[in-house]
Amino acid sequence: MNFKSIFRAFISHLFVAFCSALLFSSFATGQSSDPSQLFSAAGKGDAIKISQVVAAGVNVNAADSDGWTALMVAASAGKLPAAQALVKAGANVNATTGKGETPLMAAALSGNAAIVKLLLSEGANKAATSAQGLTAVDVAIRAKHPDLVKLLQPAQGAKAVAAPLAAANPKKVEAKVDAAASAFQAGRYAEAAGLFREVVTLDPRHALAWHFLGQSLEQTGDLIGARKAYGLSLATQSQGQVADRTRQMLAKLPLPDPARIALPSGLTLLDWMNTASRRLPAESDAVLAEASAYIDQFGPFPQLSQLQDQILKDEFAALKVDSADAARASLPQIERLKKMAPGNERLILLEATGLHMTGNFTGAQKAYGIWLGSVPTGHPRRLIVATNIQKAQRGEEPLKPKTRPQLPFQLSEEVWKALEESEAYAFAPEVKSVNIDYTQTDSFRGGGVNFDNNYTNSKRIRSLGSGVAATENSSIDEEHRNYPVSRYSSYSAAGMIFLGGVYSTGVTKLIRINHLSGSLFPLRIGARMSYESATRSGNDGSEHKYRVDCKIASQEAAATLNPKLTGNAYLCECSISSDSAAPAASTTYIFDDLGLTASDLGVIDIAKSGFVIPTPGYSFSFKVTDSTVTRTYPTYDIRF
């Protein structure tokens, strides 16, 4: 999906509020012969760059894959200097897309009277009609630009087109809203639904009225009408508290009885679902398109969702956008699938990434914007997508999907998906290899005991790629050298996410991770990350559940913790609870030069309930029953 699709949706009373902001964002430049430079300059209003690009031989009337020209981009973004430069260079003021959209319609949407006047003075046809039967004046009316109506008004029929603006008198709308709200609060839901319908007729962009129309219809039992109203509320305002609340209502909306939903074919929805699987694989495209349409219209019936997933599963496996060549090969297939499943979030994001990877920065920004407008504000990938929009604006490559590292145990597809869709995993830096050798003495005193235990230990930390660290630990009990060397290894991602460990008793690994939100990277004071997880122990099969909440509290020079360290150390404060223990506070440090934590490089100071990186001679004491144990590190050698 792209901006043109938003534009078409808008002029069908489904305007997405953020589309103008996308067009105001700056676009990155490419090579001098690349038409994308022209679109970039048009979006930024850079008249000088437009003249340079056209002088270099770029066709001023070049169109993108959706038929949009640079003049349409400039007009929709309200960039008068760019529009003037393009017209001067010979831009066609009556260019049309395959849907009949014109530069004048784009200018009517932006509300820029100067651009409208410029286009009309150059012969723009204000009677041109889009494929949806709308003229430029219709667009101006729906966009609430009354000052443009007179400019765009045909010679005849002025009263007819001016009527909607008169009907949208703010006081009249407000009075209707008050009456509808009173009826809703009094439980007169049918009356409230009628009044909210009047509100959205007067003001089709009233997201709150669409929302409460949905609630009113839900209370009357009209579940299909409620779903449609909620959808129109989201299409009108995709972000904010109203949008979040609307998504919650949609998620809880009961599904209607499929046996009572009549389709135009004469079948009920239940009949269609029971027979659709028999049409596979011969009619996969048709079944996918129909299933997607029914999900949008009637709700996410499990059978419909399963059909959609079944058809798309193999398609997704074949779609690769991790390189420019792979993206070029996949984009036509993504476009084909989008026509059949237009609201699929994964397809929208795949298209955006593919366009970005192939250097179509303008198209990528538009597609990323569509995705942002279709997901909740708390979606775990929002920061990733917002970062990629900024990268596209600067002409930089997107954040590339990370390859899955080789682990000595298998994580489930559900765990990998949760990780790969998170900000924490996407922004985690690569870790550096570190070798640590140290000695440890535990002195037991009091309570009838008086002895020392001495150990020789080592840590070998290495990167597995994708921000995953592998730590191999060994320990020799010097008083009992005939004992086997104690060895174990652990694996972590994004600094604070335990993936698993290999121990003498077996493998313990992550089996679930839910609600993974936020990221400690890029490191900054105030950064937060939280998640819920479950692990399974290999020796007895027991499961343990955890809740982790971490935040970066402060920053200091890493050398203050250990003179061998460089860069900065960020204090990370965590609250960790489990199904068998109450929340406990713990602290560690994260080092920006290494991508590692103090828990990787150091040891836990039981007295401080946190990790430290000892210097030779470091010690602390703690109680074990009636004895006091003093733990000392005579040596602690860190090598990078």
Side-chain angles (χ1 to χ4, degrees):
M1 187 177 289
N2 49 39
F3 181 78
K4 274 69 74 179
S5 300
I6 302 177
F7 180 88
R8 294 165 197 150
F10 167 73
I11 55 181
S12 297
H13 306 289
L14 299 178
F15 178 70
V16 180
F18 62 86
C19 63
S20 297
L22 291 180
L23 285 174
F24 273 88
S25 60
S26 59
F27 300 137
T29 59
Q31 300 298 318
S32 60
S33 60
D34 185 353
S36 66
Q37 288 191 95
L38 191 61
F39 288 85
S40 171
K44 292 189 292 186
D46 191 340
I48 295 176
K49 185 65 175 178
I50 288 171
S51 300
Q52 293 172 342
V53 171
V54 173
V58 173
N59 181 1
V60 73
N61 288 308
D64 67 10
S65 59
D66 294 307
W68 270 55
T69 65
L71 182 58
M72 294 178 185
V73 172
S76 60
K79 303 296 186 182
L80 178 61
Q84 291 170 328
L86 289 164
V87 168
K88 183 178 179 181
N92 182 1
V93 298
N94 285 310
T96 59
T97 68
K99 296 293 185 180
E101 299 149 349
T102 67
L104 192 61
M105 294 177 188
L109 175 60
S110 74
N112 192 302
I115 295 179
V116 169
K117 292 176 182 178
L118 169 68
L119 296 176
L120 291 175
S121 70
E122 294 293 328
N125 179 12
K126 56 187 175 184
T129 304
S130 73
Q132 294 177 325
L134 300 175
T135 63
V137 72
D138 296 319
V139 176
I141 290 170
R142 286 160 175 77
K144 303 297 190 302
H145 297 312
D147 55 315
L148 299 185
V149 173
K150 189 173 182 179
L151 288 172
L152 296 168
Q153 181 77 36
Q156 297 178 347
K159 291 182 180 179
V161 296
L165 284 175
N169 181 285
K171 290 185 178 180
K172 187 173 182 179
V173 171
E174 185 178 352
K176 288 287 184 184
V177 169
D178 289 344
S182 297
F184 184 88
Q185 291 170 351
R188 302 192 304 275
Y189 298 115
E191 179 186 346
L195 291 168
F196 280 123
R197 284 190 194 280
E198 292 182 32
V199 173
V200 296
T201 299
L202 295 172
D203 185 0
R205 294 174 58 187
H206 203 304
L208 193 61
W210 281 117
H211 172 91
F212 277 102
L213 174 58
Q215 285 204 42
S216 301
L217 292 172
E218 183 178 350
Q219 292 295 332
T220 65
D222 184 358
L223 301 180
I224 295 175
R227 185 170 299 278
K228 181 178 179 181
Y230 286 141
L232 289 170
S233 177
L234 287 173
T236 304
Q237 183 175 314
S238 61
Q239 302 299 321
Q241 292 182 348
V242 173
D244 288 345
R245 177 62 177 161
T246 301
R247 288 188 177 94
Q248 293 173 8
M249 298 301 295
L250 263 175
K252 294 187 290 187
L253 187 67
L255 295 170
D257 181 357
R260 300 175 66 88
I261 299 176
L263 303 178
S265 63
L267 296 174
T268 66
L269 180 60
L270 180 63
D271 296 329
W272 184 92
M273 291 191 295
N274 290 337
T275 58
S277 59
R278 301 177 188 174
R279 298 163 58 190
L280 302 177
E283 299 179 54
S284 292
D285 286 5
V287 171
L288 176 61
E290 292 167 26
S292 301
Y294 296 151
I295 287 174
D296 289 341
Q297 189 173 359
F298 306 123
F301 287 91
Q303 283 178 268
L304 292 177
S305 299
Q306 288 167 9
L307 272 172
Q308 192 181 55
D309 292 344
Q310 177 184 346
I311 297 169
L312 287 175
K313 181 178 180 181
D314 292 337
E315 298 277 7
F316 281 140
L319 297 175
K320 306 293 183 185
V321 292
D322 53 354
S323 69
D325 289 342
R328 287 190 192 95
S330 295
L331 281 170
Q333 297 304 316
I334 293 172
E335 185 62 29
R336 176 181 67 82
L337 293 171
K338 276 183 56 201
K339 291 178 181 177
M340 295 174 284
N344 188 277
E345 292 175 11
R346 190 171 176 186
L347 284 173
I348 296 170
L349 193 53
L350 278 171
E351 179 191 44
T353 307
L355 292 171
H356 195 165
M357 192 66 74
T358 56
N360 185 346
F361 301 121
T362 302
Q365 290 176 79
K366 297 174 186 175
Y368 283 135
I370 299 301
W371 185 90
L372 285 173
S374 68
V375 300
T377 53
H379 195 285
R381 289 189 68 87
R382 285 190 70 89
L383 182 57
I384 299 171
V385 172
T387 299
N388 277 339
I389 287 180
Q390 294 171 343
K391 283 179 170 287
Q393 290 172 347
R394 296 191 298 265
E396 299 173 356
E397 286 190 350
L399 291 169
K400 292 183 179 179
K402 294 185 174 180
T403 57
R404 295 180 180 179
Q406 293 294 319
L407 300 172
F409 44 83
Q410 191 78 24
L411 296 180
S412 69
E413 186 65 26
E414 289 74 17
V415 167
W416 277 122
K417 184 177 179 182
L419 290 171
E420 291 167 344
E421 290 185 348
S422 71
E423 296 172 13
Y425 191 73
F427 289 107
E430 293 303 329
V431 303
K432 292 185 179 179
S433 297
V434 182
N435 295 324
I436 303 172
D437 294 296
Y438 63 102
T439 55
Q440 171 187 327
T441 299
D442 287 349
S443 300
F444 291 78
R445 301 290 185 268
V449 298
N450 185 351
F451 65 89
D452 293 344
N453 278 346
N454 295 286
Y455 304 90
T456 299
N457 306 316
S458 70
K459 290 188 180 196
R460 300 292 181 261
I461 305 171
R462 58 192 175 91
S463 170
L464 298 185
S466 301
V468 175
T471 303
E472 298 174 357
N473 300 270
S474 68
S475 180
I476 299 173
D477 185 338
E478 296 294 349
E479 273 64 53
H480 304 88
R481 292 190 68 87
N482 58 320
Y483 287 3
V485 176
S486 173
R487 302 182 190 276
Y488 69 94
S489 57
S490 61
Y491 303 83
S492 61
M496 301 294 293
I497 301 175
F498 174 75
L499 300 180
V502 179
Y503 309 95
S504 59
T505 55
V507 173
T508 295
K509 68 177 183 178
L510 184 67
I511 58 172
R512 285 189 303 279
I513 184 163
N514 301 318
H515 309 298
L516 175 51
S517 64
S519 175
L520 300 177
F521 301 100
L523 290 168
R524 64 205 182 280
I525 296 173
R528 292 177 176 270
M529 179 183 72
S530 62
Y531 61 90
E532 297 173 358
S533 65
T535 62
R536 178 178 290 129
S537 174
N539 62 330
D540 59 6
S542 60
E543 291 188 12
H544 298 280
K545 298 177 183 178
Y546 302 90
R547 168 76 192 183
V548 179
D549 294 277
C550 296
K551 69 175 181 179
I552 302 296
S554 63
Q555 171 191 343
E556 60 190 278
T560 61
L561 303 176
N562 189 292
K564 288 193 174 183
L565 300 179
T566 60
N568 296 306
Y570 291 80
L571 178 64
C572 183
E573 297 177 345
C574 296
S575 173
I576 303 174
S577 60
S578 70
D579 50 5
S580 58
S586 178
T587 61
T588 188
Y589 285 90
I590 305 177
F591 304 98
D592 58 4
D593 272 5
L594 301 173
L596 296 169
T597 69
S599 49
D600 298 314
L601 298 177
V603 297
I604 188 166
D605 184 332
I606 298 173
K608 293 181 177 180
S609 298
F611 287 90
V612 297
I613 303 174
T615 53
Y618 184 88
S619 68
F620 59 88
S621 298
F622 56 95
K623 297 287 289 186
V624 176
T625 61
D626 294 330
S627 301
T628 297
V629 181
T630 299
R631 180 165 292 172
T632 305
Y633 297 92
T635 63
Y636 206 91
D637 183 28
I638 303 174
R639 303 184 306 280
F640 302 103

